[in-house]
Each structure stands twice: as structure tokens, then as C-alpha cells.
Amino acid sequence: MVPEIKPARVRFAPSPTGRFHIGSARTALYDYLYARKTGGQFILRLEDTDQKRFDPQSESEFYESLRWLGLHWDEGPDIGGPHAPYRQSERVELYQEYADELVANGRAYHCFCTPERLSQVRQEQQKRKEPPRYDGLCRSLSEREVNARRDSGESTVIRFKTPREGVTTCIDLLRGPITIDNATVDDYILVKSSGMPVYHLAAMVDDYLMEITHVLRGSEWLPTFPLHVMIYQALEWQQPQWVHLSIFLNPSGKGKLSKRRTTNQRTSAKAIYALELRQMGYLPEAVVNWISLMGWSYDDHTEFFQMKDLIDKFTLEKLNPSPAAVNYSKLDHFNGLHIRALSTEDLTERLYPFFVNADVQCDPGLLAEITPLIQERIRSLEEAVEMAAFFFNPTVDPDPQELVGKNLTPAESATATRQALAVLRNLVSFEPEHTEAELRKLADTLGLSAGQLFGILRVAITGQRVSPPLIESMSIIGTETVLSRLEQAVEKLDGIADPE
RNA sequence: GCCCCCAUCGUCUAGGGGACCAGGACGUAGCCCUUUCAAGGCUAAGACCGGGGUUCGAAUCCCCGUGGGGGCACCA
């Protein structure tokens, strides 16, 4: 019997300030998996309370990336839902309401300190090697003074009145209880002077109102976790389950992934954005499989997962709290596996745009014939272009030196090619089996290994040293083109052959 | 500087006191297959950060160190 799990309401709440990277993708994936697993809802919410950092491109990139990965949301800014709106900038009255409640209860207070004063205080504290934090100047202003100053037009923020004594215990599902001294927690700003809330207030209010049962977020929130718990306690709300996910490290294991671009940009630049991966020819299935396993595991022997498998097998208990370095060679491996798992028709369809993008005159019908030949040879969709463009291009132009067979002279290679030409011209059928038998016979009479002969023909016909299987390729290209490419090869070889 | 989190092969990880001279995957090397390249099959090298405890027994529990990471904004 499968134990009964309550439907969870899980949210992915990005801030539209930049691009959608694989760290966000993993959080969203886990959100999605847990919602689906429990038969609950996956909710998309936009945390756009910072007008300064707002990036208008961002939102559509999130949608596109999420859809590409197959992470479809049940409620969100674009589709609405029972707790709309799902855009924080459209919910400010709500936050103000709860901020007022906190002030009324004495759990928060108005602060009139200017940014200038705050930075000055910070500087002095740093000079004294003290932790930088608010010094509490406005903490105990009288109600009358607060009102007077507000009436006079002085701008104000609302700060949380963190208890000066005692401890707060926060429960993280992966790490267990974390207990900290309240004295180390700052009086964080909850509402800015603009009236906009800060994450700490907005996210808590929304998670509560939207009935979020499980909060999965990055471990960069661990330092302010106690504040969040205190806010829940101050408002007497029941807390959700808190899960702080590990962060992604550079492939080297040194440093956070997003800061990676500063090093090795040219030699080993790897994509960190979902849409970049798409462009490079990675399958969404492979990306999902790959990121799912960075910070989560199923068992000892299973690593190949489709989305439905992940939904079936995902559990919060198997999440790993330690930081994980991303491993791009493993992504390549998964991409190969998922490419091979595709049907020929499906792969053909996905391959097509890559040829078009590379300006190859690609005929879909022809591509469908080629797909089986390259399916097990490519590790990315993009790779297919360099491997198979010769099928579509009218001519090939190999370097004459490349046409020279292994351990042979140009003259010997030219002779072999002429002989092959003769054999192929007299072929009664261009069926691969027949062609192969005849060419092997020729190699024999010429005293060459099959590899020597096929090597020459491969370069002559495909223009490449590495290609899909030669005989099958010839059959697709067609007699006429094969013969003309061989004739051209003979000319090239004659051109570099020693006159003697 | 202060607070917090984490710690098994190069990397992702299994492991939650005896089943572990630590298992799998990627990568690497070799072999087989083979018309190239892949794919596939087989094999090899490769790790419990250090020191103290607890225990008959520790990769597993506790403490201290060390290392790595995160955070210390009217950003999220």
C-alpha cells in the first residue's frame, strides 16, 4: 500500500530580475514534482516588488523556459486562479494590511532613519568589528511622536521588532531544527518607504494566503529563516513545511554557479540558462533528468528518468542538503540516452529546426531517412548538423590530403577510387547489402583492407573523416551524386599525385 | 569580522551502528564488437577531511578542529 499523502500546494516564486538559470529550473522542477506527486497544485507567483531591478524580458523567459521543460502551472499571473492576483506588485494593499497589524500588535514599528544615517551606522559598526545591523534608534518611539512625524510628511519604513532575548527554533525538513539567538537577528525592514513590501513580508503573506503547504527554496534563505518563522509566529499563522535546497556550485566545485562566468569563459563556457541549453541542442527531457539528480536521488541503480517516472518516485526525504557541483559531461550523457529513447519521427521533428538554423537546405522527407543513421551517434541535436549536412549540400569539398587512404600514396588512392567508380557504375542494384559485398570484393582484389578503401570513399562522398555508416549513406545520397563526388575525388587525388 | 549551513571516488551520489577490505552513475584507461565515429558489452584505477570521544563494534552518533558554501541592503 502506498501511504496516503495530502495534496500539497507548492509555489515557484521567481523575481523577474534576470534570466532563468538551471538553479531556478531545479527548484521549479522539485516544486512541480511534489505538487504532481501529491495530486496538489503547482503555483507560479511573480515576486516583482523591486522596481529598480525589474527586467521586462524576464517574465516571458520564465514562462518559455518552464513550458519548454514541461513544468506546467495550475495557478499563475497569466492564467489566474483562486488566489489571484499572482503578481506581488498587484497585492500591495494586502501586505500593508498585515504590516499595520504587526505595528498594532507591537511586533513591528515605524522607522524614520534615512539611508544616509543607516550606512553611517553600518560603517561605524564595521570599524568596531561589530556585525552590521540596525541600532534600534526608532524602536521605541511613542505613538504620538510617530504620528506627528508621519503627519509632517517624514518618510518612514516599517521594521520588524525582533525580540532582543530568547531563541527561535526553525524546522527545516532536511536539516532538522535550527536554533538561533534572537539577539543575532536584525530588525529587518518589512515595508519600504515607497510602501512596497520587502520579500520577507510579501512572501510570508502570500504563502499564507495562498495556502502554501511546502516552501521549497534555495538555501540562501537560511540566514533569514528565523525572521520568517518569527513573522509567522507574530501573526499566529501555522507554518508550512520548510525545505531549503542546496545550491549549485561551479563544475570545479569552487564557488556558486552563477558567479562562474568570470573564469574560463572561452575554453569551457557552459550554459547556465535553460534557453541556452535548448539552443545548444539539449532535450528538455535530458535537462530535467540531469537537474533532478543534483540534490536528489532515488536508489542505487536507477538514473534514467522521464518526467512521469520522476513524479512517481520523487520524495522530499531523499533530497540532499549539501551543495552540488554541476557536471556537464553527465548532461551530455543523459542527452544521448534521451535522444536514443525518442521515436525516429519525434527525433526528426526536433532535428529539423537545427538544420534550418544552420542554413542547410533540409528536406524533411530526406531527413527522416537519415535520422536512424545518426540517432545513436549524436549527443546533441546541434551535433546532427555537422554530422549530416553533407546529405543536403549539393557538393562536398574535402581537402585532397584527406582523400589519401591509410598507408597509401595519392596515386594508389586515385586508382582505388577509379576502380570503385567502375564497380559502382556497373552495379545492378544500389541496395546496401549488394553494394557492400561488391566493394568488399574490390578491396580484396586491390589488396586493401575494407577500412582502407572505405576510408577513401567516406571522405570522397561525405567530405568528412567521421560520418554515419558509409554504405547506407550512399544509398540515401543516390547513385548520381555518389558517382560525381567520386569523380571529383579522383581529380583531386590526381592533382596531388606524384607525376612519376 | 559576525551568524548560519554542509562534508563518502575528479564530479553526482548509495549508505542512516554490525549485511561495507564502502555500492552505482558520469568522466578517465584498457579490451571486445566494428568500414569511420558512436552505441553496446566486459575490465581497471579511484573516496569515508583530521583528531578526540560514545560503543563489543562507527562512513554512520557526539565534540573540537579544518575545509567548502551561503548570508550580513529601503535585493530577492
Side-chain angles (χ1 to χ4, degrees), chain A residues 246-409:
Chain A
S246 63
I247 44 133
F248 281 170
L249 267 25
N250 280 317
S252 65
K254 305 267 178 198
K256 203 181 174 185
L257 182 69
S258 40
K259 289 172 184 164
R260 173 227 90 211
R261 299 237 164 201
T262 50
T263 57
N264 258 351
Q265 179 144 21
R266 210 166 48 78
T267 51
S268 67
K270 297 287 189 178
I272 60 169
Y273 303 117
L275 295 185
E276 272 182 311
L277 293 170
R278 177 175 70 176
Q279 192 189 358
M280 290 167 73
Y282 289 101
L283 261 36
E285 292 93 329
V287 174
V288 163
N289 197 158
W290 178 53
I291 59 180
S292 75
L293 257 9
M294 299 172 75
W296 176 81
S297 62
Y298 176 59
D299 65 13
D300 219 0
H301 358 273
T302 324
E303 286 210 326
F304 180 83
F305 295 114
Q306 302 282 7
M307 189 70 92
K308 61 174 164 35
D309 306 317
L310 290 171
I311 291 171
D312 183 44
K313 305 197 180 329
F314 185 74
T315 53
L316 298 175
E317 289 68 33
K318 297 290 275 182
L319 251 17
N320 187 332
S322 49
V326 297
N327 182 180
Y328 286 99
S329 65
K330 200 146 185 172
L331 171 59
D332 287 339
H333 172 249
F334 280 128
N335 210 42
L337 292 181
H338 280 93
I339 283 174
R340 275 171 259 134
L342 255 28
S343 71
T344 315
E345 297 72 40
D346 192 351
L347 179 55
T348 303
E349 251 172 66
R350 301 205 205 197
L351 247 20
Y352 184 72
F354 282 84
F355 283 91
V356 173
N357 277 347
D359 283 326
V360 175
Q361 294 300 313
C362 178
D363 173 65
L366 187 53
L367 180 59
E369 287 184 65
I370 295 162
T371 302
L373 296 187
I374 60 175
Q375 182 154 22
E376 67 181 24
R377 272 162 244 276
I378 53 173
R379 302 201 123 204
S380 81
L381 302 178
E382 198 179 36
E383 238 177 77
V385 176
E386 53 182 295
M387 184 170 287
F390 70 88
F391 282 107
F392 303 100
N393 294 334
T395 58
V396 293
D397 185 24
D399 179 335
Q401 294 300 335
E402 301 267 284
L403 285 163
V404 179
K406 199 177 178 200
N407 298 324
L408 296 176
T409 65

